Structures are given as C-alpha cells and as structure tokens.
C-alpha cells in the first residue's frame, strides 16, 4: 500500500533513508510526517482500550517550519473497526482536525521484543555446584545410614547376578577367564559361632569309654587293678559305637587272660554307665566297634574325607585326660592329608594331620568339619619335646569301610593273609655277619594259614615274593594287597643253605576280636 488517506490528510510514502531502515515513512499532505510498520500496511485491527492509556511522543514536521515535538499524553484510545466515524462522514476520527491529530493521526502496533538471556556468572556456577554437592552428599549419606541395611539382601542378589553376567561375557569373548572377576567375601556375624553350633550338634554323640582290668604280680602273687579311658562315637541309634582299637585293647586281650570290664558313659547319663561288648577290632588300622544295649541314641553324620582341603576348619571333640574333662572341644584346621606315620610292630597308617589339640583320652573321638560332619577318628599325637600341634586322625572313609565290615562279618573281609611274623632285629649287618642273603626272617608261622599250608617255616628267609625281591614286611604287604584271598603266589625262601621256591595260597585274614 503506497498511499494512505486518513480523514482530510493524504500521505505519501517516502523512501527509506538507508538500507537498514525497516520502517516506511509517510509524508502528510498537510505537512505532518509519521512512521508506520510495513508488516501490517493497510491493516487496522480492532482493539478496545477504553480503560487503557498510553503516552507517545510524535514528531510533527510542518512545511517550511521548524520541527516541533508534540507530547501526546494520556490519549484515550478509540475503538474502531476499519469503519468511518458515525459523527464524521469524512475519513477522520472526529469533526475537528486537531482532534484527529490527537486521537488518530498516527499508527502504532504492539510488538514484544525477545528478552535477552544473561549467561550465568562464575560465582553463580560455583554456588550451584556447592549446593548440589551438599544435597547429593546428604542423600548418599542417608542411603548408607538408613536405606542400605534394609535393601542389602536384594541388592546383594542383584550385584551377584550382575557380576556373574560380566564374568560370562569375558569368558565368551575369549579373554582370560579370571580377568575382571570380582570375588566378594562376606563374614556374617551371628550370636552363636560355627564351633558353638557344631559342639551343640555333635557333643551328645561323643561318649566316654572306660576299661578296668586286673593284672597279676608274679612276685607277690597279687592282682592289681588297672584302668584306661578314651572316647567313642555313636554311629548307629541302636548302640553301635566306633573307637580306636588301642582304647579297648585291654578288654580284647582279656579273652586270653584275666577278666576286664568295658563300660560306656553317655554325656546325658554320666552317673549310669552301660556295659559294652566288643563286636570286632582291627589292630592294623587301630579301629574297633563296640555295642551297648540302648536305643534311640543320637548317631553322628558322616562327611567325605576324600574332599578335604588344607586350611579347612577342624573341630575335635573327646575326653582328654579321661572322663573328668568329658566333651572337651578344641579347634584348628586341616594341616595336612595323607600323612604316613609308623605305629606298633612296624605298621604304618595314612592319616589326616590337624593342629586341633588331641591329647590322651581324645583317642576314638571325632574330628569334624564346618558342617558338624565326622571326617576323621582322632587316634594319635606326636608328643616329643619341641613338637606342638601335631595331631592325627584316621580318615572317616577308610574307617567306615573297616567298621562296616567289622559289624557285618566280625572281621575285615577280603583281606589276604600270608600268615607269618618277622624278626625285626634281622638286618643287612646281621645278614653279612652270618653270610646269608638279606630278606625277611620268619620268626613265627600262623597255624593253618597260607604260609603254614605252603611249607614256610620259622627260620626261613623270604628273599622274593610274587617275583619281586623283598627286604622288609612292609614290602611284602604292599605286594600282598594286590591279591585277594585264594590267590596263589610264588615265594622264594633261603633255608639251611638252599634256595626254595614255594607255591603259597593266600588265606583270608580273620583277625576276629570278640569277648
């Protein structure tokens, strides 16, 4: 729109003064100039500002005269809608041209300018950071103080699964399986320790064993009473008890000598001993089974001694120093496995080593794992000066195998027997002295044994057994256990300057011990 006509004034469009002038200037025919926004040329929107006032400074330029500044203040806005005033038929807002100047001779439009956003200062950023840290610290501290204990079980399970999935991803990618692995070790504090629970569980199953016997004095033809005490383990509710053979040896040998009394004392009935019978005993493994006439006894639970690891918890329960200290509990660890120690008559036992205190009287008691399961039968201790914490126990897997056989057959079934006793004083020096070959000197032959039937005699020197040269009973036993009763073995002996080869059929060892 180039021309505008308001009332009696005609306006002409003036060219912009410069390229940056975005408004169009209009020159009134009567000499008045005003500025209009080009974006709404020719548009006069309806508005009603009856209650609004505004103040605007208008520059009025008269033709040929100086510029005057007319202050229009508190001008009352007039409502219009692109129509002519009913009071004036001309294109004006009033009958008076002066009124037209005051009320409608200029054009205005309200435009909101965008507010300028101020960049935050460094001080404001520091304040925000400090306040955020304080709030964050308060929230984290409150979590660990109050919320973490309540959600620990569930969070523990979540993180365990998360860690596990990470380990699987490492493995599947072909990297080191241990790379990134996190092991979480948790020590749970409870009111009762593991040892307390073990003692409570197993102590009722550990009994006291007492043997009283009489010995004769050949000098004064008088008898004296002796006593030995040890420990035992209830292995069946109907009165079967496992112990060491040396604990009941005096009662076992009473078959061939004076009478002996074998008694069992239960922890719950210390003032009421039970008389016991020997079911069977095996001196080679130092194990025996006895029985009392009782029912509903608390039997122990067996563990697996083949799976023992060095450093595992080991708890010993027994009667050290006799029944006065019945039910004593000592604690240690598994110090070693498959330890071989010598026992009487040149025999050896393969045992568990522990530093749990084992003293005389503990023999026949239980060595237990962290679950309260029996893993060994306490049997020996190295008591020499300068040694401490060297206790030994028979592995329960071997002990159970022997005692099961004793309960069923009264002896260890399937064990081959040669049937000789050797002279331990015979050695290489003696052999050279008498100019005889080195071997095993037979001191005695068991009647009706394989050696007896095969022709072996006392005084023979066994130089070979089953085709192998031998110089000790232990070497014969190692070869013998590879056979079963009934097998025939070639035995080479030196007798009176001759070397003989005898065919010996091994018999079965029925070392029955029964009262």
């Amino acid at each position: 729109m180039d021309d505008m006509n308001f009332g009696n004034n005609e306006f002409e469009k003036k060219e912009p003064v410069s390229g940056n002038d975005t408004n169009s200037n209009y020159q009134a025919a009567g000499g008045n100039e005003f500025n209009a926004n080009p974006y709404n040329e020719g548009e006069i929107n309806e508005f009603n500002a009856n209650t609004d006032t505004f103040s605007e400074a208008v520059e009025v330029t008269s033709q040929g005269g100086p510029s005057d500044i007319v202050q229009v203040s508190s001008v009352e806005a007039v409502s219009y809608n692109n129509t002519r005033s009913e009071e004036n038929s001309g294109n004006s807002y009033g009958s008076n041209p002066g009124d037209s100047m005051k009320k409608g001779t200029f054009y205005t439009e309200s435009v909101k300018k965008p507010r300028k956003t101020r960049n935050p200062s460094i001080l404001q950023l520091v304040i925000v950071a400090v306040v955020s840290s304080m709030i964050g610290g308060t929230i984290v501290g409150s979590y660990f103080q109050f919320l973490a204990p309540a959600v620990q079980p569930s969070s523990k399970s979540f993180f365990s699964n998360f860690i596990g999935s990470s380990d699987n991803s490492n493995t599947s990618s072909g990297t080191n399986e241990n790379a990134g692995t996190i092991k979480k070790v948790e020590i749970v504090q409870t009111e009762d320790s593991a040892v307390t629970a073990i003692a409570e569980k197993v102590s009722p199953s550990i009994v006291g064993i007492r043997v009283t016997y009489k010995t004769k004095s050949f000098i004064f033809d008088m008898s004296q009473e002796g006593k030995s005490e040890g420990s035992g383990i209830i292995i069946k509710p109907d009165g079967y008890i496992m112990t060491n053979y040396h604990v009941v040896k005096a009662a076992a040998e009473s078959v061939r000598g004076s009478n002996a009394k074998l008694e069992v004392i239960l922890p719950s009935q210390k003032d009421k001993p039970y008389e016991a019978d020997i079911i069977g005993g095996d001196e080679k493994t130092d194990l025996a089974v006895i029985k009392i006439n009782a029912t509903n006894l608390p039997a122990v639970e067996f563990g697996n001694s083949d799976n023992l690891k060095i450093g595992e918890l080991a708890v010993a329960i027994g009667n050290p120093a006799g029944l006065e200290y019945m039910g004593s509990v000592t604690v240690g660890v598994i110090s070693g496995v498959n330890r071989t120690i010598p026992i009487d008559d040149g025999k050896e036992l393969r045992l568990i080593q522990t530093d749990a205190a084992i003293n005389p009287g503990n023999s026949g008691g239980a060595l237990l794992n962290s679950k309260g399961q029996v893993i060994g039968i306490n049997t020996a201790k190295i008591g020499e000066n300068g040694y401490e914490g060297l206790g030994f126990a028979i592995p329960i897997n071997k002990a159970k195998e022997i005692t099961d056989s004793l309960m069923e057959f009264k002896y260890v079934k399937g064990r081959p027997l040669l049937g000789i006793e050797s002279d331990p004083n015979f050695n290489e020096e003696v052999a050279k002295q008498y100019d005889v070959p080195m071997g095993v000197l037979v001191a005695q032959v068991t009647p009706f044994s394989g050696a007896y039937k095969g022709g072996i005699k006392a005084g023979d020197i066994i130089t070979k057994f089953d085709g192998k040269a031998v110089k000790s009973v232990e070497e014969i036993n190692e070869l013998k256990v590879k056979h079963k009763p009934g097998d025939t073995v070639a035995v080479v002996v030196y007798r009176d300057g001759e070397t003989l080869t005898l065919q010996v059929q091994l018999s079965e060892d029925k070392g029955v011990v029964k009262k």
Side-chain angles (χ1 to χ4, degrees):
M1 182 179 68
D2 294 334
D3 297 327
M4 299 180 64
N5 188 301
F6 277 44
N8 294 326
N9 296 321
E10 184 175 356
F11 299 88
E12 296 176 354
K13 181 177 180 181
K14 294 177 63 180
E15 294 300 324
V17 177
S18 66
N20 294 327
D21 187 2
T22 58
N23 295 328
S24 298
N25 298 320
Y26 291 87
Q27 179 71 42
N32 297 327
E33 181 180 358
F34 75 100
N35 180 276
N37 191 318
Y39 294 103
N40 289 311
E41 292 182 1
E43 291 186 12
I44 302 178
N45 295 326
E46 180 179 357
F47 67 93
N48 191 324
N50 292 331
T51 59
D52 298 335
T53 62
F54 62 92
S55 176
E56 185 77 23
V58 180
E59 179 179 328
V60 180
T61 304
S62 300
Q63 291 181 354
S67 298
D68 296 327
I69 300 300
V70 180
Q71 179 71 32
V72 182
S73 61
S74 300
V75 178
E76 181 177 355
V78 181
S79 175
Y80 63 95
N81 187 19
N82 292 333
T83 58
R84 296 182 178 180
S85 171
E86 293 179 359
E87 298 179 358
N88 192 345
S89 60
N91 295 329
S92 65
Y93 291 100
S95 59
N96 190 339
D99 293 336
S100 299
M101 175 62 68
K102 294 180 180 181
K103 295 183 178 181
T105 57
F106 60 90
Y107 176 79
T108 183
E109 183 176 6
S110 175
V111 178
K112 292 185 178 180
K113 296 181 179 181
R115 296 181 62 183
K116 294 183 179 180
T117 59
R118 297 177 60 189
N119 294 327
S121 65
I122 296 177
L123 178 61
Q124 290 175 325
L125 293 176
V126 171
I127 294 173
V128 171
V130 171
V131 173
S132 301
S133 300
M134 294 174 64
I135 296 174
T138 302
I139 294 174
V140 173
S142 301
Y143 169 80
F144 284 106
Q145 183 69 24
F146 304 105
L147 186 59
V151 301
Q152 183 179 6
S154 59
S155 62
K156 175 183 175 184
S157 175
F158 170 77
F159 283 112
S160 297
N161 294 334
F162 178 78
I163 293 171
S165 63
S166 299
D167 292 343
N168 293 336
S169 63
N170 289 337
T171 303
S172 62
S173 62
T175 58
N176 188 355
E177 292 183 0
N178 295 326
T181 300
I182 300 175
K183 291 185 178 180
K184 184 175 181 182
V185 179
E186 182 178 2
I187 300 175
V188 179
Q189 296 290 342
T190 60
E191 184 177 353
D192 295 332
S193 68
V195 178
T196 302
I198 292 169
E200 185 177 355
K201 173 184 177 181
V202 184
S203 290
S205 303
I206 309 302
V207 303
I209 297 176
R210 180 168 58 209
V211 179
T212 55
Y213 52 90
K214 292 181 180 180
T215 59
K216 289 184 180 181
S217 173
F218 295 99
I219 298 177
F220 300 103
D221 196 21
M222 296 177 60
S223 63
Q224 293 179 335
E225 187 173 281
K227 182 176 70 173
S228 64
E229 295 176 335
S231 307
I233 305 169
I234 300 173
I235 57 175
K236 285 193 173 183
D238 55 351
Y240 285 90
I241 296 168
M242 178 191 300
T243 187
N244 284 141
Y245 178 77
H246 74 263
V247 173
V248 298
K249 183 177 181 179
E253 293 178 348
S254 69
V255 175
R256 299 183 296 272
S258 60
N259 291 331
K261 187 177 182 180
L262 178 61
E263 294 177 306
V264 169
I265 297 90
L266 300 179
S268 59
Q269 301 178 26
K270 294 182 180 180
D271 57 344
K272 183 185 176 182
Y274 285 80
E275 288 194 14
D277 294 325
I278 298 177
I279 300 301
D282 182 46
E283 194 169 8
K284 292 182 177 65
T285 56
D286 195 25
L287 290 167
V289 177
I290 63 176
K291 186 180 185 306
I292 62 174
N293 187 18
T295 56
N296 298 323
L297 298 179
V300 296
E301 179 184 356
F302 293 107
N304 187 351
S305 57
D306 291 340
N307 295 334
L308 292 180
K309 294 181 180 178
I310 295 175
E312 280 190 51
L313 178 70
V315 179
I317 302 180
N319 311 317
L323 300 180
E324 183 179 356
Y325 301 104
M326 185 175 183
S328 294
V329 178
T330 55
V331 184
V333 297
I334 302 298
S335 304
V337 295
N338 295 323
R339 302 298 198 199
T340 301
I341 65 169
I343 58 174
D344 295 339
D345 299 330
K347 300 181 181 67
E348 291 183 341
L349 287 177
R350 200 170 290 274
L351 305 173
I352 301 167
Q353 179 187 340
T354 180
D355 65 344
I358 297 176
N359 294 289
N362 275 110
S363 295
L367 188 67
L368 308 157
N369 61 14
S370 59
K371 297 180 181 179
Q373 299 170 330
V374 178
I375 54 174
I377 309 302
N378 300 326
T379 188
K381 175 185 178 180
I382 295 179
E384 297 181 15
N385 292 334
Y387 290 90
E388 189 59 42
L390 288 175
F392 297 91
I394 302 171
I396 193 61
N397 288 11
K398 182 64 175 179
K400 192 171 184 302
E401 176 186 337
I402 299 299
T403 54
D404 284 349
S405 184
L406 290 176
M407 285 188 289
E408 184 176 358
F409 304 106
K410 313 302 181 185
Y411 65 95
V412 180
K413 189 172 180 61
R415 182 181 289 169
L417 175 67
L418 178 59
I420 66 166
E421 290 184 15
S422 65
D423 186 344
N425 297 319
F426 184 74
N427 53 37
E428 291 187 1
E429 185 178 349
V430 174
K432 288 180 180 179
Q433 182 179 353
Y434 289 95
D435 193 22
V436 295
M438 182 57 195
V440 177
L441 177 60
V442 178
Q444 186 176 342
V445 179
T446 304
F448 311 110
S449 64
Y452 180 85
K453 294 178 180 179
I456 298 177
K457 298 179 180 180
D460 288 349
I461 299 175
I462 301 176
T463 58
K464 286 187 179 181
F465 183 89
D466 197 20
K468 303 292 191 304
V470 292
K471 295 182 179 181
S472 66
V473 173
E474 288 72 23
E475 291 178 349
I476 291 177
N477 289 334
E478 289 177 2
L479 297 170
K480 182 184 65 178
V481 295
K482 297 179 181 179
H483 296 274
K484 60 181 182 296
D487 289 351
T488 300
V489 180
V491 179
V492 178
V493 300
Y494 175 83
R495 179 190 301 167
D496 297 331
E498 290 187 68
T499 299
L500 306 174
T501 301
L502 306 175
Q503 299 298 320
V504 178
Q505 185 179 32
L506 299 176
S507 56
E508 187 173 20
D509 186 359
K510 297 183 179 180
V512 179
V513 179
K514 183 177 180 182
K515 187 174 178 180

